[in-house]
Amino acid sequence: MNWQKSHFIKSLTAIHDKPQPLRDEIAVVGRSNVGKSSLINALLSKKKLAKVSKTPGKTQLINFYAVDDHFYLVDLPGYGYANVSVKQRLKWESIIETYLKNNAYLKLLLLLIDCRHALMANDKMMLEWLRYYHINHVVILTKRDKLSYSKYIQKENEFKAVLENIAVIPFSIHIKKSHDMVKKMIEACIDSSH
Ligand SMILES: Nc1nc2c(ncn2[C@@H]2O[C@H](COP(=O)(O)OP(=O)(O)OP(=O)(O)O)[C@@H](O)[C@H]2O)c(=O)[nH]1
Ligand SMILES: [Mg+2]
């Protein structure tokens, strides 16, 4: 897979508006500011393909990136930022649930959680949906570089205890080895026949 051969395709406002041809999808989801756009840029070795921001809530649409004309990386809108109205929250829930429902193209979902934090209510709701809709998923602990080794291991063990049999993987935009690990995992989930 040539990960360098990637480009932004489109932002969706409605889910029936998916880019053509339909291809396998790998989705990235998580609370706002957790590092979704940064992870996409790191995997694709592009600095500014996905907008990274210090202001949470930057990515409000479903963004599709094509990788090697083979599959799509899908950046889903973040959740959990402050001052969100009930109307906005319901809109987010509807966008995400509609995306997850009956999506045969979705081969793997990466649920991102900041390794310094704990599961929040929205993460738990995501995990419920993923179980309910039988979506293959892993948890990625982001910003690994922000913790010392021993502190990180302690946090990872706490997450593993709660998440039971879900795979938990460390990631940092600054640690190249972690990019390769996530790429390998994605490649293993993509149907190589088309
Ligand atoms: N130190 C460190 N900072 C990171 C890492 N990943 C992301 N960041 C920083 O975290 C902030 C948020 O990153 P984004 O990639 O924009 O987060 P996002 O999840 O896409 O946020 P929304 O689009 O608002 O939902 C930025 O300031 C990034 O530079 C990491 O691995 N290490
Ligand atoms: Mg983003």
Side-chain angles (χ1 to χ4, degrees):
M1 189 84 61
N2 183 359
W3 285 80
Q4 311 261 356
K5 204 178 140 211
S6 56
H7 54 281
F8 171 72
I9 298 281
K10 68 189 294 192
S11 291
L12 297 200
T13 45
I15 207 65
H16 56 260
D17 199 23
K18 279 193 184 183
Q20 301 290 330
L22 296 171
R23 289 191 172 117
D24 283 349
E25 296 166 18
I26 303 290
V28 180
V29 75
R31 106 179 264 187
S32 199
N33 214 43
V34 72
K36 297 176 295 296
S37 302
S38 300
L39 174 137
I40 289 176
N41 287 331
L43 297 186
L44 306 182
S45 310
K46 301 256 170 38
K47 282 219 165 64
K48 288 186 205 148
L49 199 57
K51 261 187 209 148
V52 173
S53 143
K54 289 214 191 301
T55 322
K58 192 85 198 162
T59 316
Q60 303 248 11
L61 298 161
I62 299 186
N63 293 320
F64 275 67
Y65 301 87
V67 182
D68 202 10
D69 294 329
H70 209 84
F71 72 94
Y72 297 115
L73 260 182
V74 182
D75 192 5
L76 295 172
Y79 48 75
Y81 49 94
N83 306 323
V84 61
S85 66
V86 172
K87 197 174 156 200
Q88 277 174 304
R89 185 169 54 77
L90 292 177
K91 185 164 173 241
W92 176 85
E93 288 184 9
S94 145
I95 290 172
I96 300 286
E97 199 175 6
T98 309
Y99 173 77
L100 298 178
K101 216 189 282 184
N102 303 320
N103 187 353
Y105 288 94
L106 180 55
K107 300 298 170 185
L108 177 69
L109 181 139
L110 313 177
L111 172 57
L112 272 53
I113 297 172
D114 189 318
C115 69
R116 298 166 296 175
H117 301 166
L119 288 186
M120 55 179 282
N122 282 313
D123 298 319
K124 290 179 186 162
M125 185 171 67
M126 265 315 299
L127 288 162
E128 283 299 314
W129 276 336
L130 297 170
R131 262 193 293 269
Y132 184 77
Y133 292 115
H134 302 289
I135 293 161
N136 186 26
H137 60 284
V138 294
V139 164
I140 307 252
L141 297 180
T142 61
K143 310 193 187 184
R144 161 70 190 82
D145 58 284
K146 297 266 195 186
L147 290 180
S148 69
Y149 180 74
S150 57
K151 186 70 195 163
Y152 172 77
I153 293 296
Q154 186 197 325
K155 291 296 293 183
E156 188 184 274
N157 287 334
E158 285 171 22
F159 278 109
K160 280 181 174 164
V162 183
L163 293 165
E164 293 178 335
N165 40 25
I166 302 170
V168 174
I169 295 147
F171 188 87
S172 163
I173 51 170
H174 303 298
I175 305 171
K176 173 79 168 52
K177 216 171 71 185
S178 73
H179 309 173
D180 296 339
M181 223 164 92
V182 173
K183 285 186 199 175
K184 272 210 190 99
M185 204 174 54
I186 291 174
E187 285 173 8
C189 295
I190 298 288
D191 185 350
S192 51
S193 63
H194 56 86

